[in-house]
Amino acid sequence: MSQVGKEQVWQQAQEILPWLIEVRRDFHQYPEIGLEEFRTQEQVMRYLDEMGIPYTKSAGTGIVGLIQGARPGATVALRGDMDALPILEAEDREYRSKIPGKMHACGHDAHMTCLLGAARILNHYKAELAGNVKLFFQPAEETVGGALPMIKEGVLENPKVDAVFGLHVSSEIPAGHIGVKYGQMNASSDDLSIIVRGENGHGAYPHSGRDAIVIAAHVITALQTIVSRNVDPRRAAVITIGMISGGTANNILAQEVKLTGTIRTLEPSVREQVKERIQEVAALTARALGGEAEVTYEEGYTSLINNDALVDLVKRNGEELLGEQHVRINELPNMGVEDFAYFAENVPGAFFHLGVRNEETGCVYPVHHPNFDLDERSLAVGAAMQALNTLVYLKENEQR
């Protein structure tokens, strides 16, 4: 790794830990929802200015920084998402959110901080680098997805990105540990909407109409047979109806009911199979009961598939930096979604989990929970891992 070793990287990460904590707490106190990350963007640009790292804006509130090494070589991208969630923070901690109803409950404040920490370490050693480092501060991961707009704006080009690394905090993994997953890591998603139509009638005379609520209830039940009886049990799919709305009064048969939900799958073929069967099951079930059903979909994120060679690199770096016993290999994919998938779909990528759990300090709540918090010592681990991933990749590809 040229003249830079894991010991130097780890030492630097520990030295800047107080700064990392300060940066993370500032982000945490001023959370912003997707595509509204204006203050967050200004803060990130201020930190990059202080480091002397040039940058451009992307996707509205996003930022792309660039560290150029002293010699030509490959280009590595590191990604940190920026947006918060519409959640009221429960804990009255020192650095509690100052924005009512908004909270960094998914750890994106930590993701940005780890990226800034890695940037600070890598910028310190840029005279040793053969290649470039791009810093992707990405907006709107929790909402419309900022990765695809950034890609469409050309962030993977000029210079062309050869590999991309990202991380996500995990309260299931102890602080000081990481988790890696080969191959399929996250599911794809599609939003589902079904309009069930019947015919109005008096509630005392149900035979006079077609009750859309009863029809909708049968549709919901029938949909569950798709996963249990149509999808190969060796593959994964989830169909969840999360909202039901319909009816006008307690004694009138509903004429229309709207069902909305989500579909999660791991494989493109299963994704299409499930959508096709939902269309058929909803329409035919409704027709059998005298009504009709109209199904529409809104395509969500694609599935996240890691590059195994890059996962090997992350795993090896984790074992060298933290110890073999501190690297967890996850066998099963996650049915949640992650728009880092679009970066990994376009160039080889590796996404891994950063352990932040600490039972002694109460850092045990899952992400998206109003009590979520993290062991801030993990910030140094995240910064060191991303810096090390970059240095090793550039070194291994120096002679290309």
Side-chain angles (χ1 to χ4, degrees):
M1 198 194 310
S2 189
Q3 301 302 311
V4 188
K6 66 179 184 298
E7 294 83 6
Q8 293 98 316
V9 169
W10 184 247
Q11 180 180 348
Q12 273 223 301
Q14 293 301 316
E15 288 174 356
I16 66 172
L17 180 56
W19 178 79
L20 294 172
I21 292 172
E22 178 184 332
V23 169
R24 182 256 169 170
R25 291 187 178 188
D26 177 76
F27 286 141
H28 191 86
Q29 290 178 81
Y30 299 96
E32 295 175 302
I33 306 301
L35 301 183
E36 299 176 3
E37 307 97 330
F38 299 108
R39 181 192 182 275
T40 305
Q41 184 184 55
E42 289 294 326
Q43 288 296 92
V44 170
M45 292 190 298
R46 181 172 70 83
Y47 293 128
L48 294 176
D49 283 336
E50 290 173 355
M51 297 180 212
I53 297 174
Y55 55 83
T56 56
K57 294 182 181 180
S58 178
T61 50
I63 301 164
V64 180
L66 177 63
I67 301 172
Q68 293 180 296
R71 304 185 307 283
T75 297
V76 172
L78 303 177
R79 179 269 210 164
D81 35 10
M82 305 167 70
D83 54 326
L85 289 160
I87 292 176
L88 178 65
E89 187 162 5
E91 288 291 330
D92 189 19
R93 51 179 67 95
E94 173 190 349
Y95 45 91
R96 182 181 183 177
S97 169
K98 296 181 183 296
I99 312 299
K102 297 180 183 180
M103 177 189 175
H104 270 296
C106 201
H108 295 188
D109 52 346
H111 301 169
M112 289 185 286
T113 302
C114 290
L115 181 50
L116 285 166
R120 186 165 167 174
I121 295 169
L122 292 167
N123 197 50
H124 181 78
Y125 292 115
K126 67 180 179 180
E128 304 286 340
L129 298 183
N132 309 295
V133 186
K134 283 189 170 181
L135 311 169
F136 293 165
F137 293 89
Q138 180 217 300
E141 193 280 331
E142 298 286 358
T143 52
V144 297
L148 208 50
M150 292 183 77
I151 292 168
K152 289 178 178 178
E153 289 183 9
V155 300
L156 295 176
E157 305 296 332
N158 302 316
K160 185 180 184 302
V161 173
D162 298 290
V164 59
F165 296 94
L167 60 79
H168 200 296
V169 298
S170 172
S171 58
E172 297 180 0
I173 301 175
H177 296 62
I178 65 166
V180 299
K181 172 71 177 68
Y182 289 93
Q184 189 94 40
M185 184 165 184
N186 285 80
S188 64
S189 68
D190 293 288
D191 291 336
L192 167 66
S193 176
I194 304 174
I195 304 295
V196 177
R197 297 186 178 91
E199 183 180 342
N200 280 144
H202 197 293
Y205 312 103
H207 60 286
S208 67
R210 296 288 183 269
D211 190 346
I213 288 179
V214 171
I215 297 171
H218 280 271
V219 169
I220 292 170
T221 300
L223 290 179
Q224 301 311 307
T225 66
I226 296 173
V227 173
S228 67
R229 289 297 177 268
N230 295 140
V231 176
D232 187 326
R234 294 168 296 182
R235 292 177 164 82
V238 175
I239 302 172
T240 295
I241 301 297
M243 295 176 63
I244 306 174
S245 60
T248 57
N250 68 324
N251 62 344
I252 298 176
L253 301 181
Q255 181 169 313
E256 186 175 289
V257 173
K258 183 176 183 180
L259 312 175
T260 55
T262 186
I263 306 164
R264 304 296 173 98
T265 52
L266 294 174
E267 302 172 54
S269 61
V270 175
R271 188 180 193 180
E272 293 310 309
Q273 178 194 18
V274 167
K275 290 164 72 174
E276 182 179 327
R277 288 297 292 144
I278 288 174
Q279 187 82 39
E280 295 169 347
V281 168
L284 296 177
T285 302
R287 187 185 306 171
L289 296 172
E292 60 182 37
E294 177 186 346
V295 180
T296 57
Y297 303 103
E298 183 175 343
E299 189 172 295
Y301 295 167
T302 191
S303 55
L304 170 52
I305 302 175
N306 276 330
N307 177 280
D308 285 352
L310 294 185
V311 174
D312 269 335
L313 184 150
V314 174
K315 175 177 175 288
R316 187 169 71 248
N317 289 338
E319 290 173 346
E320 291 184 2
L321 192 70
L322 308 171
E324 185 176 348
Q325 71 278 16
H326 287 213
V327 177
R328 176 182 298 185
I329 301 175
N330 297 318
E331 300 296 335
L332 299 175
N334 190 324
M335 297 307 290
V337 296
E338 168 56 65
D339 79 337
F340 180 86
Y342 293 107
F343 292 121
E345 187 177 56
N346 284 272
V347 297
F351 198 68
F352 64 97
H353 283 127
L354 175 68
V356 298
R357 185 181 183 88
N358 186 332
E359 296 182 8
E360 293 181 1
T361 59
C363 298
V364 297
Y365 295 94
V367 294
H368 293 224
H369 191 285
N371 291 108
F372 173 77
D373 199 11
L374 53 90
D375 184 333
E376 292 177 311
R377 293 175 299 175
S378 65
L379 299 172
V381 177
M385 279 297 304
Q386 288 293 63
L388 195 60
N389 291 335
T390 302
L391 292 166
V392 170
Y393 183 89
L394 292 179
K395 177 61 178 176
E396 291 181 353
N397 291 270
E398 189 172 353
Q399 303 302 323
R400 291 191 314 168

